[in-house]
Amino acid sequence: MTTGKRLYHYALQFKSIIAGALVLLTFSAAADLAGPFIAKRVIDIHILGIESVWHETEQGDKAVEYDGTYYKRDIYFNEGETKGAPAEIFQAGTGFVFVGEEVDADGDRSYSNGTLTIKNGDIEKNYPATALSAGDVMRFSAPELPGIVWLLALYFGLAVVSAFFQYWQRYMLQKSANRVIQKMREDVYARIQKLPVSFFDNLPAGKIVARITNDTEAVRELYVTVLSTFFTGGIYIIGIYIALFILNPNLAAITLLLLPILYAWMVIYRKFASRYNHKIRSRNSEINAMVNESIQGMNVIQAFGREKESIADFEKLNEDHFRNQNKMLNLNSLTSFNLVNVLRNIVFVVFIWYFGGESLEASSAISLGMLYAFVDYINRLFEPVVGMVNQQANLEQALVAGERVFQLMDEPEEEERGTELERYNGNVRFDNVSFAYKEGEWVLKNINFEARPGETVALVGHTGSGKSSIMNLLFRFYDCQKGAITIDGIDVKHISRNSLRRQMGIVLQDPYLFTGTIASNVSLGDPSISRERVEKALKDVGADEIFKNLENGYDSAVTEKGSTFSSGQRQLISFARALSFDPAILILDEATSSIDSETEAIIQEAMEVLKKGRTTFIIAHRLSTIRNADQILVLDKGEIVEKGNHDDLMEQKGRYYQMYQLQLGKGNLAG
């Protein structure tokens, strides 16, 4: 499905609001476009109505007295009412003259010595006439004033109605647009929660953030501004063409040539604009990623004096973004306003040529009101055209942004199939497991071990030996390519990921805290975890001693990543978080590596109580923290090279013994 269709389907979810807005827009356009018709009537029927056929009549409504006789315009006679002798009034020069008979000629007029002369080419006709004073002209014009006032009131009323409907249609369109983007952002955010961890390994956080925020905001502009402009413009263009066909079908048919020209322009424009916008959005994401990375690693950048290099890298990326923006700017400048001005001039040339030709024929004379209405409608025709042309850049930008958002939403999510387990005991078995992140590059080879409920299994080895990979497989962040991992005899591939992870707790080497409070970071907003359970978990890990002096206690504010707390305090909160969920399996990923000795002692005391009934895995570099482990697995290049408890491995005097002696020696040197 194309990006445009998907955006259309999103809009359909709020079709009732959009349909209501379009109905209001139709009424608004109809009220607004009635203006030139009213103006035409005011000009032709009332303002210029004095220059029409008058008939002698009796004194009464709409009758005007002149030279002792009453006259009334032909159009004001009722059906069956007797009409007297005809008369006409003409403008000649700057004045008006009264002719006491019906005139059958048209052309240039002149008045001199009681004679009105009308000349059309070689044909010249003379009529006896009388010059009218200003008072006479006002008397003949007086019957038209009520009609003019009524039409002006109608014009004003329609303008108010149009403004009212226009306000509400814009409000409803923008409301529906906000709803669409709200739904889209919720869908995108929900989608990334279901993506595998491997996806986030390969895409910087800044790029994902840019798609959820910047790109969806660009799509919002599509619904709020672009589609509103196109809807409004489309309805106005249809309305204007209807009015033009009513006024003059021939000229209206000629102006229809604008439509294929505009369509051809849009096709050509999009061909180039799409290319530039893809690059612009891509560079924008890369800039977000670089800024995000720089902020998070600012201490490293400043510590190693890499500010100039970091600025240079940013400027290079920003310069590329600037070049593509300029290309887009040049494209818009060369097309939008220039195209509209050219089209406007062509239409007016055709307009002048057409009406100029018709004015040469007396039988096809065009009224002043008709001329006014046509000029007004043609000017109005270009207002939506200008708006639609100027929104092409935003339209293309929104489509590109929408495409990027949908690419993220189309990423394959983790399959959530398998058995739902209420509670498992935590008997973990790795049976000849091999695993590779990239095909052929094995990071784990033939891993075999078993961890029984209540046991503590420690994983040690140099960096890259495969310790964290074992935990990634246990959590099913990844699945092994060979062998099997079972919990209570059930292959983890047959257990749903949610069910599997729900009964696991993890404490990372660098714990992540969310904005909120200490208590909310322990419960993570889970309604099933009570306040009492939160406080008990904190107390069990000894956090009450650490946080008791804080003014707000466990309700003390936590900023992003817990930057206002020490490493030990963050670790205690993270440890309490894992325990509050009462996991069957507990994973400590080098959880004490960044903690001072005093805090480590507090955790070690709590761990002896908390490990009972749980299968505990400890990834450790500090071997002093795992002396009491039931099993110690020594890994090297993805293989288990030694296995046993502390005493067994010390007796073997193998790799573990060497590592322990090395750390012990460092400790003595430090002392």
Side-chain angles (χ1 to χ4, degrees):
M1 189 182 297
T2 63
T3 301
K5 286 185 178 179
R6 296 181 73 168
L7 291 170
Y8 170 73
H9 283 294
Y10 260 98
L12 282 183
Q13 297 180 52
F14 305 95
K15 58 186 177 184
S16 58
I17 302 177
I18 295 175
L22 293 181
V23 170
L24 292 176
L25 177 58
T26 304
F27 282 121
S28 172
D32 191 33
L33 293 176
F37 272 105
I38 295 174
K40 176 181 179 297
R41 185 171 181 82
V42 169
I43 295 171
D44 287 345
I45 303 299
H46 297 292
I47 294 178
L48 300 181
I50 191 174
E51 291 191 89
S52 60
V53 179
W54 296 73
H55 291 274
E56 293 181 3
T57 186
E58 300 294 329
Q59 182 179 3
D61 184 42
K62 304 289 187 182
V64 178
E65 182 186 8
Y66 174 70
D67 198 21
T69 305
Y70 285 93
Y71 295 90
K72 187 162 63 173
R73 283 185 60 189
D74 186 77
I75 63 171
Y76 293 139
F77 280 87
N78 297 320
E79 188 175 352
E81 188 177 355
T82 303
K83 297 180 182 179
E88 289 193 53
I89 297 174
F90 290 95
Q91 182 176 7
T94 59
F96 287 85
V97 296
F98 181 87
V99 179
E101 60 182 293
E102 190 168 355
V103 176
D104 61 353
D106 191 19
D108 294 331
R109 307 164 187 169
S110 61
Y111 173 76
S112 178
N113 300 321
T115 301
L116 173 66
T117 302
I118 300 177
K119 187 175 182 180
N120 190 344
D122 295 332
I123 301 173
E124 181 180 303
K125 291 187 177 183
N126 297 309
Y127 299 90
T130 306
L132 296 176
S133 66
D136 293 333
V137 173
M138 287 301 298
R139 282 199 304 276
F140 276 106
S141 299
E144 312 305 323
L145 293 180
I148 292 174
V149 170
W150 187 88
L151 287 173
L152 290 178
L154 177 61
Y155 190 99
F156 177 76
L158 288 174
V160 172
V161 170
S162 174
F164 175 79
F165 283 128
Q166 199 168 61
Y167 167 79
W168 281 107
Q169 66 88 8
R170 285 181 180 175
Y171 172 82
M172 293 176 73
L173 276 179
Q174 293 199 13
K175 180 180 179 180
S176 63
N178 290 334
R179 286 290 190 191
V180 169
I181 298 307
Q182 179 187 25
K183 181 70 169 62
M184 183 178 289
R185 280 181 174 158
E186 288 173 354
D187 289 348
V188 175
Y189 190 76
R191 186 69 174 191
I192 66 174
Q193 305 298 316
K194 298 177 182 179
L195 296 179
V197 172
S198 57
F199 174 81
F200 301 98
D201 291 341
N202 301 320
L203 192 66
K207 289 190 175 183
I208 299 175
V209 171
R211 294 194 185 189
I212 297 175
T213 55
N214 296 356
D215 288 338
T216 53
E217 188 62 26
V219 175
R220 178 182 174 276
E221 284 301 306
L222 169 69
Y223 290 107
V224 171
T225 306
V226 179
L227 291 188
S228 176
T229 301
F230 273 77
F231 280 148
T232 306
I235 289 176
Y236 266 81
I237 287 174
I238 292 171
I240 289 170
Y241 270 112
I242 291 173
L244 288 175
F245 271 101
I246 292 173
L247 291 173
N248 191 307
N250 293 333
L251 186 59
I254 294 172
T255 58
L256 281 174
L257 292 173
L258 284 173
L259 300 182
I261 294 173
L262 287 174
Y263 177 76
W265 174 85
M266 290 169 67
V267 171
I268 297 170
Y269 175 87
R270 289 192 60 191
K271 180 180 179 181
F272 292 96
S274 178
R275 185 190 313 162
Y276 298 148
N277 273 310
H278 269 98
K279 291 182 180 179
I280 290 169
R281 304 307 297 181
S282 177
R283 294 298 176 270
N284 190 54
S285 290
E286 290 173 14
I287 288 172
N288 272 277
M290 178 174 285
V291 170
N292 181 65
E293 186 179 62
S294 298
I295 291 173
Q296 297 211 22
M298 190 57 69
N299 54 346
V300 177
I301 292 173
Q302 294 184 357
F304 286 90
R306 305 297 296 173
E307 294 93 341
K308 289 183 179 179
E309 289 78 7
S310 180
I311 292 171
D313 290 341
F314 181 83
E315 287 179 348
K316 182 179 179 181
L317 196 59
N318 202 29
E319 177 65 25
D320 193 32
H321 181 269
F322 172 77
R323 282 198 302 270
N324 284 290
Q325 285 278 27
N326 265 1
K327 289 179 181 179
M328 192 71 211
L329 179 63
N330 289 333
L331 178 64
N332 291 333
S333 299
L334 288 171
T335 55
S336 58
F337 294 107
N338 291 337
L339 173 75
V340 173
N341 285 332
V342 169
L343 291 179
R344 188 195 300 270
N345 291 335
I346 290 173
V347 169
F348 272 108
V349 166
V350 172
F351 174 79
I352 293 169
W353 169 79
Y354 182 84
F355 277 119
E358 286 217 341
S359 66
L360 297 177
E361 301 177 19
S363 60
S364 303
I366 303 298
S367 70
L368 184 59
M370 174 76 81
L371 289 173
Y372 172 84
F374 248 100
V375 171
D376 195 342
Y377 278 126
I378 289 176
N379 278 324
R380 287 171 183 249
L381 176 64
F382 279 94
E383 289 177 11
V385 169
V386 169
M388 294 165 71
V389 166
N390 289 342
Q391 288 299 325
Q392 278 294 309
N394 289 335
L395 171 62
E396 191 56 40
Q397 187 177 9
L399 290 175
V400 171
E403 181 182 342
R404 288 164 53 81
V405 172
F406 290 132
Q407 282 177 353
L408 184 58
M409 293 176 68
D410 290 339
E411 288 291 333
E413 63 182 46
E414 285 186 325
E415 293 184 3
E416 193 45 47
R417 292 182 295 179
T419 307
E420 291 288 331
L421 299 179
E422 290 298 324
R423 181 75 178 182
Y424 50 71
N425 295 321
N427 189 305
V428 179
R429 182 181 181 84
F430 275 61
D431 187 8
N432 205 31
V433 171
S434 296
F435 170 69
Y437 291 102
K438 296 181 180 179
E439 187 176 353
E441 299 179 10
W442 300 101
V443 294
L444 293 177
K445 307 167 190 173
N446 304 317
I447 301 297
N448 290 281
F449 71 89
E450 182 177 4
R452 297 178 178 84
E455 284 189 348
T456 298
V457 177
L459 307 175
V460 299
H462 60 77
T463 301
S465 60
K467 304 185 298 297
S468 295
S469 295
I470 289 177
M471 294 302 99
N472 285 339
L473 294 180
L474 187 59
F475 268 97
R476 284 200 71 194
F477 292 145
Y478 301 89
D479 284 325
C480 61
Q481 287 88 0
K482 295 180 181 179
I485 303 169
T486 61
I487 294 180
D488 295 350
I490 305 173
D491 193 321
V492 294
K493 292 181 181 179
H494 299 150
I495 304 173
S496 71
R497 286 182 169 86
N498 282 339
S499 177
L500 180 72
R501 295 168 185 170
R502 196 182 305 124
Q503 300 174 60
M504 291 185 183
I506 188 169
V507 179
L508 299 170
Q509 178 182 3
D510 185 16
Y512 195 95
L513 300 186
F514 298 90
T515 302
T517 64
I518 294 173
S520 69
N521 267 278
V522 173
S523 67
L524 292 180
D526 191 331
S528 66
I529 299 177
S530 64
R531 176 72 178 203
E532 292 74 18
R533 190 164 158 186
V534 169
E535 293 181 358
K536 184 179 184 301
L538 287 163
K539 184 177 181 180
D540 288 343
V541 300
D544 54 337
E545 293 295 323
I546 303 293
F547 297 119
K548 66 181 181 181
N549 294 325
L550 293 178
E551 182 179 353
N552 297 318
Y554 296 144
D555 293 316
S556 297
V558 177
T559 57
E560 184 183 3
K561 298 182 71 175
S563 57
T564 56
F565 291 97
S566 67
S567 297
Q569 290 172 324
R570 293 199 301 272
Q571 202 65 275
L572 283 171
I573 295 172
S574 181
F575 198 76
R577 174 195 295 166
L579 298 176
S580 68
F581 282 82
D582 190 24
I585 298 174
L586 183 65
I587 294 97
L588 306 176
D589 188 355
E590 303 191 39
T592 59
S593 63
S594 59
I595 294 177
D596 57 84
S597 299
E598 183 179 351
T599 307
E600 181 183 345
I602 294 173
I603 290 182
Q604 290 289 357
E605 285 181 24
M607 281 177 57
E608 295 305 315
V609 177
L610 299 168
K611 286 190 299 185
K612 291 181 181 179
R614 294 186 177 88
T615 306
T616 305
F617 290 89
I618 302 176
I619 299 176
H621 281 159
R622 293 168 64 172
L623 303 184
S624 60
T625 62
I626 59 169
R627 292 188 59 173
N628 296 327
D630 298 293
Q631 280 190 79
I632 299 174
L633 307 179
V634 182
L635 291 122
D636 181 51
K637 296 179 181 178
E639 298 181 284
I640 298 176
V641 294
E642 293 180 9
K643 184 189 301 184
N645 61 30
H646 174 77
D647 293 334
D648 293 339
L649 295 176
M650 290 299 289
E651 286 180 9
Q652 292 178 22
K653 293 190 176 180
R655 191 179 298 272
Y656 178 82
Y657 175 83
Q658 294 173 1
M659 292 168 63
Y660 191 83
Q661 290 297 324
L662 183 62
Q663 287 196 9
L664 187 64
K666 287 182 178 179
N668 290 337
L669 286 171

